[in-house]
Structures are given as C-alpha cells and as structure tokens.
Amino acid sequence: LHGIPFGLKDIYDTAGILTSGGSAVCAENVPTQDSTAVHKLLEAGGILLGKLQTHEFAHGGPSFDLPWPPSRNPWDLSRFTGGSSSGSAAALAAGFMPAAMGSDTGGSIRGPASFCGITGFMPTFGLVSRAGVMPNSFTFDHCGPMARSAEDCAILLQALAGYDAADPGSIRHEVADFRGRLSQPVKGLRIGVLRHYWEEDIPVTPEHARSLEEAVKVFEGLGATVSTCRIRPVQDGFDIKVIIAESEIFSIHQESLIRSPGKYGRDFLGRALPACVFQSADYVQALREHRRYLDELLPVFEDFDVLLASGFGPAPRFEDYRTENFWLKSNVCTPSNTGRNPALALPCGYSSGGLPLGMQLVGRPGDDARVLQAGHAFQQASDWHRRRPQLAGGEALPVPDLKANEPKPSTLTAAQQSHVEQMARQAGLKLDDRQMMILMETAPHALAMAGRMRKPRGRMEHPSLVFRFD
C-alpha cells in the first residue's frame, strides 16, 4: 500500500487525532494510540487522508441533530448514503480517495456500498482485528475494507488480516493469498441464489430484480453452476441480531445514557433505548437461537460455495427515512452478521433514475478468498463498478423536511406503558418528555421481537457464546 491514501470511519482510534464516533458524547476524544487496523495500514505504507463521517457510534441513521451533518449520496445529494459507514462510501463514490475502512454490525459496510455504487467487504468474524475500534456489538462487529473493486478490497485485506491478541474475538488462522486467488477461474463454482430474499422477504423494485437476474446470467456465462437456494427468512436472522446487539450497545452506553441522554441524537436513542425492555432471558434465548441459526447454515455450504443475495438500492431521500423502520423492517445484510459469514457488496446495475443497485456474495466462514474471487470475476465481466457520479462544485445542498421522523404517540396500552417506564427506571434512565416519547414509539417493536424469540427449546441447547480452549 506504499503511497496509497485511505480514509477511516471515525470509530477507528488514531493517535493524536479526534475519534468522535460521530457523537457529541466523544467530541473531545483524542486517543493516544492507533487501532490495530490503522497501525497495519500505515505499516504497509498507506497514507491517512482523513477521518470520515459515521452514523452515531456506528449505529443509528442519518441524524441532523449531531455535531456533524450526515454524509450525502454523491449520486443525488438529497439522498441517503446508507449507514453506518456513510462517509467511507460517499468519499469513495465521489472519488476523494481509493480506499477506506468501514465496520459492519448489521450491514454497515454493505448497505452504504450498495447505495453509493462502490464495493465493500465484510470479512469472516475475527479475521480483521477490532482492537482500538469503538464497539457497537461485541458479538457481531466486523471491521473491513471499502474500495472501488473486489480487487482493491483484496489488496487492503491482505494488509489487514491476521491474529491480534488485543481483540478477544480475533481468530488464529493462516492468512490466505487474497489477491493471488483473484485470477483463478470461477468455472464450476457452485452458486446458490437466494431469490426469496428479493422476491418474498424484502421485495425489490422490478429494475433491481432484473439486475439481479442479469447478474445470475453473468455467472452462468462464466461457467459457474447456479441454482436456487433457500435459507431461513431474513427476519429470523434480524431478530436474533437485534436482541443481542441492542442489548450490548445499551450496556456499552448505559452509564452515559443515564448521565446525559441529551448528548445523543434522536436516531441512536430510537434504536438503543428500547433495549432496556429486553430481559436477561431474552438475551440468552437469542444466543441459543443464534446457535441453531449457525448450525442450520452448515449443510447449506456443503452444497454451495457462494450464495448470491440482493443488496440495497435505490437510495431513499432523507425525508423518507424513519427511525421506527429499524424495528419494523428487516435487512438483507444482517443475516450474514448473524451467520458470521464473509460477504461482499458490489453494484449490479442502476435504476432508471441513475441510482446504484447492489447485490451480495456470501461465503462460508473462513472462505473470504473465494468470495472475493467470485466478486472479481463478476467485475471483470461487467462494468457497473466503473461508473462515477457527476459532481458539481458549489452546488447548494437540498434541505430535507424531517418533520415526518419526529416521534409519534405510543400505541401501547396504559399497562404496557407503565411496564416500559418501570424497565427504564430499573435501567437507571431519567428521560425528558421527548426522550420518553422516542422510547415509547419503538418499545412495542422490541417487545414483539422478544416475544418471537420465545420458542420451545430443549434444556441442553447451548448459546452461541460457548467457547473452548485449544
């Protein structure tokens, strides 16, 4: 990476440089040392060009009530970049830099990559160190590269991968030759197409569906063996992830939420506060369901080498964003976090309005090189990743009308509201009227999610966090 400029999502510790997490809470946080990933990139010869905007603490959505405004999509400044690696995707799409770091807990690399027409890679859990990176979820956080192509992601991953004792989630492994594997043909590669992702679970636009089917044909033309595959519905993986991850991020920020909830943005509060209604049993049942989920994926990857799934697109306008939708609508990226899979997001087409449309390639844990190989083969046979937005210097920024995302009155009964208030008090929260309204708006969805996790289980079923010493 000698002489290659790169940018960092502003959750990566940088010695002597502000690491804010995009929040007023850490507006004066200047670390004394670099995170492991930053150290590795610098050691490989990279040049840090700048820190990049993130949604608050790599969570939440585009909040305009934070110290720094949300990034805008270079394809249309009135539109969302996706989150939470928002600045990384926008900077790459705009051509400000060739490489950037993101993080992915539920799609935070792949969502912005899809909306902005760039390439983003979430490695196998534990492949890239998270030491010195602000945590979102201990169970699901991944650090990974974002770039213009799968090849560039492979080059970055070569520098980043490796065991790090400072990260409790790091795995001991032999680092593959990620770039060297790219040139291998994909003839005979067994690709399972998750059509139910875009036809049933989260239906996409007709344009997006056509682009995904064309991508399938590209792989068939390259000699891959392609057939339809089905795994659990997207909602199942989403429920598991959200109960675990929101419980963890609430615990990380609980002291600060008790002391100064007003320092947080509306969107972070709408996601994190409802975790106060999750009980310890909900967290453990989600971990036990997580174990089932992982076990059920094992036979899928005996039949297929790579899974092809939908990504995001086209990007929505800022005024169409709703905090409540985080709880109401599942996410096609999140199942790969739940499954601990390596997953690559890359563009597969454009809408009639000129906005990027994304797809994902997902592999078995540890098979990162094969996923990148498949993505590279697709990009050698197509040119979607080479397109660039037209930038206009000095263009006035559209001002979105955000009134529709104000918290709405609660749908809870009086008894249910009393229960939520009691849970908030037990968690130590002292919320003003608006903050309580934010909690009450989304608490019903958290309670419903916890209810879906209460399934019959044998007493011998273990949670996913059971570990062994080698």
Coordinates of all heavy atoms in Angstrom, one line a residue, residues 116-148:
C116 N -24.2 3.6 -2.7 CA -23.3 4.5 -3.3 C -22.5 3.9 -4.5 O -21.7 4.6 -5.1 CB -22.3 5.0 -2.3 SG -23.0 6.0 -1.0
G117 N -22.8 2.7 -4.9 CA -22.2 2.1 -6.1 C -20.8 1.8 -6.0 O -20.0 1.8 -7.0
I118 N -20.3 1.4 -4.8 CA -18.9 1.0 -4.6 C -18.9 -0.4 -4.1 O -19.9 -1.1 -4.1 CB -18.1 2.0 -3.7 CG1 -18.8 2.1 -2.3 CG2 -18.1 3.4 -4.3 CD1 -18.1 1.4 -1.2
T119 N -17.7 -0.9 -3.8 CA -17.5 -2.3 -3.3 C -17.1 -2.3 -1.9 O -16.2 -1.6 -1.5 CB -16.5 -3.0 -4.2 OG1 -16.8 -2.9 -5.6 CG2 -16.4 -4.5 -3.8
G120 N -17.8 -3.1 -1.1 CA -17.5 -3.2 0.4 C -17.4 -4.6 0.8 O -18.3 -5.4 0.4
F121 N -16.5 -5.0 1.6 CA -16.3 -6.4 2.1 C -16.3 -6.5 3.6 O -15.6 -5.8 4.3 CB -15.0 -6.9 1.6 CG -14.8 -8.4 1.8 CD1 -15.6 -9.3 1.3 CD2 -13.7 -8.8 2.6 CE1 -15.5 -10.7 1.6 CE2 -13.5 -10.2 2.9 CZ -14.4 -11.1 2.3
M122 N -17.2 -7.4 4.1 CA -17.3 -7.7 5.5 C -16.6 -9.1 5.6 O -17.1 -10.1 5.1 CB -18.7 -7.8 6.0 CG -18.7 -8.2 7.5 SD -20.4 -8.5 8.1 CE -20.8 -10.1 7.4
P123 N -15.4 -9.1 6.2 CA -14.6 -10.4 6.4 C -15.3 -11.3 7.4 O -16.2 -11.0 8.1 CB -13.3 -10.0 6.9 CG -13.2 -8.5 6.7 CD -14.6 -8.0 6.8
T124 N -14.8 -12.6 7.4 CA -15.2 -13.5 8.4 C -15.0 -12.9 9.8 O -14.0 -12.2 10.0 CB -14.4 -14.8 8.3 OG1 -14.7 -15.4 7.0 CG2 -14.7 -15.8 9.4
F125 N -15.9 -13.2 10.7 CA -15.8 -12.7 12.0 C -14.4 -13.1 12.6 O -14.1 -14.3 12.6 CB -16.9 -13.2 12.9 CG -16.9 -12.7 14.3 CD1 -17.5 -11.5 14.6 CD2 -16.3 -13.4 15.3 CE1 -17.5 -11.0 15.9 CE2 -16.3 -13.0 16.6 CZ -16.9 -11.8 16.9
G126 N -13.7 -12.1 13.1 CA -12.4 -12.4 13.8 C -11.2 -12.4 12.8 O -10.1 -12.5 13.3
L127 N -11.4 -12.2 11.5 CA -10.3 -12.2 10.6 C -9.5 -10.9 10.7 O -8.3 -10.9 10.5 CB -10.8 -12.4 9.2 CG -9.8 -12.5 8.1 CD1 -9.0 -13.8 8.2 CD2 -10.4 -12.5 6.7
V128 N -10.2 -9.7 10.9 CA -9.6 -8.4 11.0 C -9.8 -7.9 12.4 O -10.9 -7.9 12.9 CB -10.2 -7.4 10.0 CG1 -9.6 -6.0 10.2 CG2 -9.9 -7.9 8.5
S129 N -8.7 -7.4 13.0 CA -8.8 -7.0 14.4 C -9.7 -5.8 14.6 O -9.7 -4.9 13.8 CB -7.4 -6.6 14.9 OG -7.5 -6.1 16.2
R130 N -10.5 -5.9 15.7 CA -11.3 -4.7 16.1 C -10.7 -3.9 17.3 O -11.4 -3.0 17.8 CB -12.7 -5.3 16.5 CG -13.4 -6.1 15.5 CD -14.6 -6.8 16.0 NE -14.3 -7.7 17.1 CZ -15.2 -8.3 17.9 NH1 -16.5 -8.2 17.6 NH2 -14.9 -9.1 18.9
A131 N -9.5 -4.3 17.7 CA -8.9 -3.6 18.8 C -8.7 -2.1 18.5 O -8.2 -1.8 17.4 CB -7.5 -4.2 19.1
G132 N -9.1 -1.3 19.4 CA -9.0 0.2 19.2 C -10.1 0.7 18.3 O -10.0 1.9 17.8
V133 N -11.2 0.0 18.1 CA -12.3 0.5 17.3 C -13.5 0.5 18.2 O -13.8 -0.4 19.0 CB -12.6 -0.5 16.1 CG1 -13.8 0.0 15.3 CG2 -11.4 -0.6 15.2
M134 N -14.2 1.7 18.2 CA -15.4 1.8 19.1 C -16.4 0.7 18.9 O -16.8 0.5 17.8 CB -16.1 3.2 18.9 CG -15.3 4.4 19.3 SD -16.2 5.9 19.0 CE -15.1 7.1 19.9
P135 N -16.8 0.0 20.0 CA -17.6 -1.2 19.8 C -19.1 -0.8 19.6 O -19.6 0.2 20.2 CB -17.4 -2.0 21.1 CG -17.1 -0.9 22.1 CD -16.3 0.1 21.4
N136 N -19.8 -1.6 18.8 CA -21.2 -1.5 18.7 C -21.8 -2.7 19.3 O -22.6 -2.7 20.3 CB -21.6 -1.4 17.2 CG -23.1 -1.3 16.9 OD1 -23.9 -1.9 17.6 ND2 -23.5 -0.6 15.9
S137 N -21.4 -3.9 18.8 CA -21.9 -5.2 19.4 C -20.7 -6.1 19.4 O -20.0 -6.4 18.4 CB -22.9 -5.8 18.5 OG -23.1 -7.2 18.8
F138 N -20.3 -6.6 20.6 CA -19.2 -7.5 20.8 C -19.4 -8.8 20.0 O -18.4 -9.3 19.5 CB -19.0 -7.8 22.3 CG -18.9 -6.6 23.2 CD1 -19.9 -6.4 24.1 CD2 -17.8 -5.8 23.1 CE1 -19.8 -5.3 25.0 CE2 -17.7 -4.7 23.9 CZ -18.7 -4.4 24.8
T139 N -20.7 -9.2 19.8 CA -21.0 -10.4 19.1 C -20.9 -10.3 17.6 O -20.5 -11.2 16.9 CB -22.4 -10.9 19.6 OG1 -22.4 -11.1 21.0 CG2 -22.7 -12.2 18.9
F140 N -21.2 -9.1 17.1 CA -21.4 -9.0 15.6 C -20.6 -8.0 14.9 O -20.6 -7.9 13.7 CB -22.9 -8.7 15.3 CG -23.9 -9.8 15.8 CD1 -24.8 -9.5 16.7 CD2 -23.8 -11.1 15.2 CE1 -25.7 -10.5 17.2 CE2 -24.7 -12.0 15.6 CZ -25.6 -11.8 16.6
D141 N -19.8 -7.2 15.6 CA -18.9 -6.2 14.9 C -17.9 -6.9 14.0 O -17.2 -7.8 14.4 CB -18.2 -5.4 16.0 CG -19.1 -4.4 16.6 OD1 -20.2 -4.2 16.2 OD2 -18.6 -3.7 17.6
H142 N -17.7 -6.3 12.8 CA -16.7 -6.7 11.9 C -16.0 -5.4 11.4 O -16.7 -4.4 11.2 CB -17.2 -7.4 10.7 CG -17.9 -8.7 10.9 ND1 -19.1 -8.8 11.6 CD2 -17.6 -10.0 10.6 CE1 -19.5 -10.0 11.6 NE2 -18.6 -10.8 11.0
C143 N -14.7 -5.4 11.2 CA -14.0 -4.4 10.6 C -13.6 -4.8 9.2 O -13.2 -6.0 9.0 CB -12.7 -4.0 11.3 SG -13.0 -3.3 12.9
G144 N -13.7 -4.0 8.2 CA -13.4 -4.4 6.8 C -13.2 -3.3 5.8 O -13.5 -2.1 6.1
P145 N -12.7 -3.6 4.7 CA -12.3 -2.6 3.7 C -13.4 -2.2 2.7 O -14.3 -3.0 2.4 CB -11.2 -3.3 2.9 CG -11.6 -4.8 2.9 CD -12.2 -5.0 4.3
M146 N -13.4 -1.0 2.3 CA -14.3 -0.5 1.3 C -13.4 0.2 0.2 O -12.4 0.8 0.5 CB -15.2 0.5 1.9 CG -16.1 -0.1 3.0 SD -17.0 1.1 3.9 CE -18.3 1.5 2.7
A147 N -13.8 -0.1 -1.1 CA -13.0 0.4 -2.2 C -13.8 0.5 -3.5 O -15.1 0.3 -3.4 CB -11.7 -0.5 -2.4
R148 N -13.2 0.6 -4.6 CA -13.9 0.7 -5.9 C -14.2 -0.7 -6.5 O -15.0 -0.9 -7.3 CB -13.1 1.5 -6.9 CG -12.6 2.9 -6.4 CD -13.8 3.9 -6.5 NE -13.3 5.2 -6.1 CZ -12.7 6.0 -6.9 NH1 -12.5 5.7 -8.2 NH2 -12.3 7.2 -6.5

